[in-house]
């Protein structure tokens, strides 16, 4: 059995839903994971925000707009009156439940509850559509098996056990449909796996059922060797190692959510990135096989802030870095990139929520300078240190671009450069020209 995940755009209109339905119905008895239709999660978050601000009138009017939108979708999606009535009844019921949450005295966790309806609606619409087309499509409620533990991490044991039970209770099916993104917390309350979390759902299910493959279907023919929005002539990368994919997903390749890699990697389940608009294109296969001696791709991560702490106290002393790290730890701010010299350390963060407080404390350690609006450019491939030449090629590509930081040797798969935002496009293009 495989797990096939389709994102919001892939199910973003009646036509796209039909397209996905025809795609999955010819591919066997698999588990289909769906996101909410594109735009819906954002609308639900607006409804939640109005609810939390006690602006019931606004929440009600946003609900009415969204309900109307789904009325049109249902009208266009189904051909029989019976299917329109069944799907319409179900979806109206969901909107009534949203209204209840909005008007309840207890508004705690309103956002978690409300935002879950996007995936509940899309999966129900798809299931009814497949059923109307004559298939035995079974809906597996994610809220019955997807759960996080006390640390907020997926409870893999729970997921494995409960999903297996549900599948055992529903052995006869042409295919299974389930919700991405949504889950329950350890207390059984409705929760989610964070924005973009449907990829994570697919990978967790793949691990739980020991799937043959997890397929992430999007709008592009796999992971490209550079960002097609900035560089012309990029090409899909057909094979990636999990570690390479993890670096790329984290450093800006929008196509795959970074959290998706780990469950698949740990359980050795191949992940394939495929294109709904071109289902026969090869896409990108991610697994534990490393193709040696190749640079695979370049990616960029925006909105980076670089902080330099220069201090003579660092010279010939120990414990300085610990003091620096403790400050970032205190403000729960992750450090992305770091380089040190004997008298200073430079590091980058992308979450600037506590920047002022962090700088305030760093000032006690030395002279602090900050550069904002920076970009990390990350070159990914077989960059094991014994290999020769790739570092030189990457550096040479950036010969005319001011480079603020360089990081190499942190993993066997990456070399990163920190540059100014305005140099991003040129840097990406020059790297493509030199490396591919
Ligand atoms: N619907 C959720 C979101 O928009 C989850 C997902 O699409 O993966 O973030
Ligand atoms: Mg996504």
């Amino acid at each position: 059995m495989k797990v096939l995940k389709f994102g919001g755009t892939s199910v973003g209109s009646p036509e796209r839903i039909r397209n996905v339905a025809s795609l999955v119905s010819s591919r066997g008895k698999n588990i289909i994971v769906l996101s909410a239709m594109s735009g819906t999660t954002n609308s639900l978050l607006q409804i939640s925000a109005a609810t939390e601000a006690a602006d019931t009138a606004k929440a009600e009017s946003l609900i009415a707009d969204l309900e109307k939108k789904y009325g049109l979708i249902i009208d266009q999606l189904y051909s029989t009156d019976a299917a329109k009535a069944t799907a319409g009844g179900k979806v109206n019921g969901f909107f009534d439940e949203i209204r209840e949450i909005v008007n309840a005295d207890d508004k705690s966790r309103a956002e978690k509850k409300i935002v879950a309806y996007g995936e509940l609606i899309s999966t129900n619409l798809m299931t009814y559509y497949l059923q109307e087309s004559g298939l035995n499509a079974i809906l597996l409620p994610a809220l019955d098996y997807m759960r996080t533990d006390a640390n907020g991490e997926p409870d893999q044991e729970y997921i494995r056990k409960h999903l297996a039970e549900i599948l055992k209770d529903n052995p006869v099916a042409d295919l299974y449909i389930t919700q991405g993104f949504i889950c329950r917390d350890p207390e059984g309350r409705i929760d989610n796996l964070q924005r973009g979390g449907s990829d994570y759902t697919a990978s967790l299910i793949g691990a739980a059922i020991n799937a043959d493959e997890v397929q992430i279907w999007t709008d592009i023919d796999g992971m490209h060797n550079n960002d097609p929005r900035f560089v012309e002539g990029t090409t899909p990368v057909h094979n990636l190692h999990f570690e390479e994919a993890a670096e790329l997903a984290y450093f800006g390749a929008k196509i795959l959510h970074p959290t998706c890699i780990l469950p698949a990697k740990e359980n050795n389940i191949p992940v394939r990135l495929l294109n709904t608009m071109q289902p026969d294109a090869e896409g990108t296969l991610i697994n534990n096989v490393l193709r040696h001696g190749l640079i695979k791709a370049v990616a960029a991560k925006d909105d980076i802030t670089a902080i330099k702490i220069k201090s003579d106290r660092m010279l010939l002393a120990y414990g300085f870095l610990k003091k620096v790290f403790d400050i970032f730890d205190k403000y729960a701010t992750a450090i992305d990139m770091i380089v040190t010299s004997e008298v200073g350390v430079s590091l980058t963060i992308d979450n600037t929520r506590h920047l002022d407080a962090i700088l305030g404390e760093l000032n006690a350690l030395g002279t602090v300078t900050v550069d904002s609006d920076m970009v990390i450019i990350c070159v990914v491939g077989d960059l094991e240190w014994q290999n020769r030449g790739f570092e030189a090629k990457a550096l040479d590509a950036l010969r005319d671009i001011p480079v603020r930081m360089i990081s190499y040797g942190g993993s066997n798969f990456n070399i990163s450069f920190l540059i100014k935002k305005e140099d991003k496009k040129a840097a990406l293009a020059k790297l493509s020209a030199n490396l591919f």
Side-chain angles (χ1 to χ4, degrees), residues 57 372 377 409:
S372 39
I377 303 279

Side-chain angles (χ1 to χ4, degrees), residues 155-174:
D155 186 340
Q156 307 225 27
E157 267 318 299
Y158 185 100
I159 299 167
R160 199 178 297 265
K161 178 164 173 273
H162 286 81
L163 183 54
E165 277 168 14
I166 298 169
L167 287 169
K168 207 169 136 231
D169 289 345
N170 293 282
V172 186
D174 289 322

Side-chain angles (χ1 to χ4, degrees), residues 131-406:
Q131 288 170 350
E132 189 191 38
S133 323
L135 285 167
N136 183 13
I138 305 276
L139 187 59
L140 309 175
L143 297 178
D144 290 353
Y145 65 84
M146 193 53 75
R147 200 180 265 250
T148 53
D149 63 19
N151 300 318
E153 296 292 325
D155 186 340
Q156 307 225 27
E157 267 318 299
Y158 185 100
I159 299 167
R160 199 178 297 265
K161 178 164 173 273
H162 286 81
L163 183 54
E165 277 168 14
I166 298 169
L167 287 169
K168 207 169 136 231
D169 289 345
N170 293 282
V172 186
D174 289 322
L175 44 83
Y176 300 101
I177 310 292
T178 194
Q179 296 88 15
F181 179 59
I182 61 175
C183 65
R184 288 189 190 273
D185 72 5
E187 277 117 273
R189 301 175 304 184
I190 294 185
D191 205 341
N192 60 63
L193 300 170
Q194 322 235 328
R195 292 307 304 266
S198 298
D199 291 359
Y200 201 11
T201 302
S203 174
L204 290 167
I205 293 176
I209 65 162
N210 199 19
D212 300 323
E213 190 168 289
V214 171
Q215 299 183 347
I216 307 289
W217 288 81
T218 63
D219 281 349
I220 179 166
D221 47 349
M223 192 132 16
H224 274 226
N225 62 0
N226 206 327
D227 192 329
R229 291 167 302 179
F230 296 96
V231 180
E232 276 174 39
T234 64
T235 52
V237 181
H238 294 310
N239 295 277
L240 280 175
H241 188 272
F242 278 118
E243 304 274 1
E244 294 173 324
E247 306 264 13
L248 284 172
Y250 180 68
F251 284 102
K254 290 282 174 293
I255 169 162
L256 182 67
H257 199 273
T259 52
C260 170
I261 313 271
L262 198 59
K265 176 179 152 71
E266 283 177 349
N267 295 277
N268 201 10
I269 311 220
V271 176
R272 204 182 282 274
L273 310 180
L274 292 158
N275 184 357
T276 21
M277 308 306 274
Q278 248 182 289
D280 298 324
E282 186 181 340
T284 300
L285 176 64
I286 308 168
N287 56 20
N288 276 320
V289 180
L290 180 66
R291 310 269 167 130
H292 285 281
L294 289 173
I295 293 291
K296 298 292 181 53
V298 178
K301 190 167 161 71
D302 298 332
D303 299 323
I304 301 292
T305 301
I307 303 168
K308 182 192 286 175
I309 308 115
K310 208 176 144 292
S311 171
D312 293 336
R313 280 199 275 154
M314 201 175 161
L315 189 66
L316 300 174
Y318 63 86
F320 185 81
L321 284 176
K322 179 178 185 314
K323 290 189 191 118
V324 172
F325 289 152
D326 282 347
I327 294 170
F328 287 87
D329 189 47
K330 179 171 167 192
Y331 293 100
T333 298
I335 297 169
D336 282 334
M337 202 174 154
I338 175 157
V339 298
T340 77
S341 86
E342 197 44 49
V343 290
V345 49
S346 263
L347 46 82
T348 70
I349 58 173
D350 70 348
N351 175 357
T352 51
R353 194 147 26 118
H354 302 294
L355 182 62
D356 288 342
I358 290 171
L359 295 178
E361 298 205 22
L362 286 175
N363 272 323
L365 299 180
T367 315
V368 180
T369 42
V370 177
D371 294 294
S372 39
D373 273 336
M374 306 294 284
V375 172
I376 296 178
I377 303 279
C378 159
V379 177
V380 167
D382 178 17
L383 286 157
E384 209 270 327
W385 69 279
Q386 303 276 3
N387 295 345
R388 270 161 276 196
F390 288 136
E391 307 89 293
K393 264 189 171 171
L395 269 172
D396 187 48
L398 301 181
R399 66 164 68 232
D400 296 322
I401 289 173
V403 176
R404 164 77 172 75
M405 284 167 71
I406 300 176

